Amino acid sequence: MRERPDKATADETTLPHGNVAFVPLYGQSSGNHRGRITATRLGAVLLYCHTAGGMAGRHFDVVIHVKHVCVKVLEMGIGRHHVLDHVDMTWTSNHVAKHPIGLRNFYEAYAHRFSGQIMNSGPQVDDQCRTSVCAVIPHHFNMECVPRLNRSANRVVGLIGWENLLEKELRGRGFSQLAGLEIEAEPIPGARVRSTLWTRGKKRSEELLRDESRQLQCAFFDRLRVAVAWNKQLPASRMYEPGQRYTNPIVLAIPTIAYAHQASYNEYNEFGGGHFLCANLSCLQSTVAAIRGGALDATFDRMRPAVVASVSWNATRDRYVRLFADLARCGSNASMDRCANLVRRNIDGTLRPHASTWEERHSQG
């Protein structure tokens, strides 16, 4: 049985507040998801950093730098409030990963010129917020795959994410199955697109390649009985990754087990009662077995609607509207020393307490 995706994830809306620009560095991956798609649905302006020079003379109430600090836009003076959307921005610069400016450099050289930050979890807000307005805005669901509600006959555990580090650990320990289910790693559509862009000397349509990648990805998720979002091998500085590897399979009606120390996954802990979070392979094995045996069916059925609602487009839109309103209340410049009321927002939009400034928390290095 199949159900249509949550309608809220597909609704087109217009922004009721302000004049906003989204500025990704490039148009792939998060630049597409958090930049182009979000800007389009909000009715905002999309500027790619390398072509933003054409916007000289324009002025925006809010400029959102997606995953990168666009120094060109910052220097042009076209924004009243600048906001950094962290996504999975690395601590130090990484030109191989196209991160010319890391978080360390942002804090040292640019944070004082920013009014706000968009983050993936409450703990990340506590640890890394250094501007007047900080809000948790998770990835909204944007996959084109259709949920399948009955997965009892499926025999695959899917490892979500492109690093596939868990697969290497499991294979290295001699695991080919978990609780009798075959282990399969998520395919990498981007690599498939790059490797097949030229076929028999002829350049293929990028639109056709994107469609092939979508079919490849959806076919993978259709095969799954259980999904695993596992980032254990990441360094501590990357425990603030976005949570879509956990939430996307849940929206697709796949019971999903997540690494317990990834902060964004814990945002949904209350919905699942902690039953779908694990910190070691022993827990992972027993939880896969419990899901396969049906012991967690009722818990997942209660959890899923709450996650679907949280990552729906309507909820995402509301988070951005609150962010814009919080920035507007701060006045013309929301730097730390000019905005009297600091604002910290949880994933549900409620205010998060903040007992100290970033400088106080990090004064010891």
Side-chain angles (χ1 to χ4, degrees):
M1 176 181 178
R2 287 174 177 261
E3 65 172 19
R4 297 305 306 167
D6 172 32
K7 186 176 183 296
T9 66
D11 284 345
E12 296 296 327
T13 59
T14 55
L15 183 67
H17 172 74
N19 180 25
V20 179
F22 284 75
V23 187
L25 192 65
Y26 52 90
Q28 299 174 338
S29 189
S30 55
N32 180 57
H33 187 87
R34 305 281 294 202
R36 183 187 67 82
I37 293 173
T38 302
T40 299
R41 288 186 168 183
L42 287 171
V45 174
L46 175 67
L47 301 176
Y48 290 109
C49 187
H50 64 283
T51 61
M55 288 289 111
R58 286 289 304 270
H59 186 78
F60 299 97
D61 292 330
V62 180
V63 175
I64 297 180
H65 300 242
V66 180
K67 190 177 176 176
H68 308 278
V69 175
C70 181
V71 179
K72 178 189 293 186
V73 166
L74 199 61
E75 298 297 341
M76 286 168 62
I78 63 174
R80 181 183 186 187
H81 295 292
H82 289 268
V83 176
L84 175 66
D85 184 352
H86 283 233
V87 192
D88 58 353
M89 193 173 180
T90 55
W91 182 250
T92 56
S93 61
N94 184 336
H95 290 275
V96 174
K98 299 182 179 179
H99 298 175
I101 294 176
L103 277 174
R104 182 190 297 276
N105 190 225
F106 166 72
Y107 290 132
E108 291 175 348
Y110 300 104
H112 66 286
R113 301 175 66 179
F114 277 71
S115 305
Q117 292 163 263
I118 296 173
M119 298 183 170
N120 301 308
S121 65
Q124 186 181 22
V125 170
D126 294 340
D127 187 42
Q128 295 185 349
C129 179
R130 199 183 174 183
T131 55
S132 293
V133 178
C134 289
V136 177
I137 302 181
H139 275 34
H140 65 273
F141 179 76
N142 193 51
M143 297 182 68
E144 297 180 66
C145 310
V146 179
R148 292 181 58 228
L149 296 183
N150 187 355
R151 295 178 173 272
S152 59
N154 289 11
R155 294 291 181 266
V156 176
V157 175
L159 309 183
I160 311 303
W162 294 357
E163 292 96 344
N164 293 331
L165 298 177
L166 177 60
E167 181 187 28
K168 293 178 182 178
E169 181 176 354
L170 291 171
R171 302 296 186 196
R173 296 190 180 195
F175 287 93
S176 61
Q177 296 183 333
L178 284 172
L181 301 178
E182 295 297 323
I183 298 169
E184 185 176 340
E186 182 181 4
I188 307 176
R192 180 179 173 86
V193 168
R194 288 191 296 272
S195 65
T196 58
L197 187 59
W198 287 85
T199 302
R200 296 180 181 177
K202 296 181 179 180
K203 189 174 182 179
R204 304 177 64 197
S205 163
E206 290 191 24
E207 183 177 351
L208 175 62
L209 292 171
R210 283 194 296 270
D211 185 61
E212 289 181 356
S213 294
R214 179 191 62 78
Q215 293 179 27
L216 182 71
Q217 188 177 45
C218 293
F220 166 76
F221 282 103
D222 276 351
R223 292 192 293 273
L224 302 189
R225 177 67 181 89
V226 181
V228 179
W230 203 258
N231 297 96
K232 179 181 178 181
Q233 292 85 350
L234 295 177
S237 62
R238 288 186 64 190
M239 286 294 101
Y240 298 132
E241 295 276 292
Q244 79 277 6
R245 292 179 178 180
Y246 187 34
T247 58
N248 281 348
I250 292 173
V251 174
L252 294 176
I254 305 169
T256 305
I257 304 166
Y259 183 55
H261 298 306
Q262 185 64 251
S264 60
Y265 300 162
N266 275 275
E267 292 289 337
Y268 305 96
N269 185 38
E270 63 177 294
F271 303 140
H275 294 290
F276 295 95
L277 296 177
C278 283
N280 53 61
L281 291 184
S282 176
C283 172
L284 179 61
Q285 288 178 284
S286 62
T287 306
V288 170
I291 292 172
R292 187 181 183 189
L296 293 176
D297 285 355
T299 303
F300 183 71
D301 288 344
R302 290 192 300 269
M303 175 186 185
R304 180 173 174 262
V307 174
V308 169
S310 179
V311 297
S312 70
W313 175 246
N314 283 351
T316 302
R317 173 186 174 277
D318 289 347
R319 293 182 182 108
Y320 279 104
V321 171
R322 278 193 295 266
L323 171 66
F324 302 148
D326 289 337
L327 290 168
R329 283 191 290 269
C330 271
S332 61
N333 188 323
S335 62
M336 287 285 285
D337 57 344
R338 298 187 188 182
C339 183
N341 298 312
L342 305 184
V343 178
R344 309 287 182 260
R345 294 273 181 194
N346 290 309
I347 193 171
D348 61 0
T350 58
L351 290 172
R352 187 176 187 85
H354 47 91
S356 58
T357 67
W358 190 94
E359 286 86 349
E360 290 169 342
R361 292 193 304 276
H362 293 263
S363 61
Q364 303 304 317

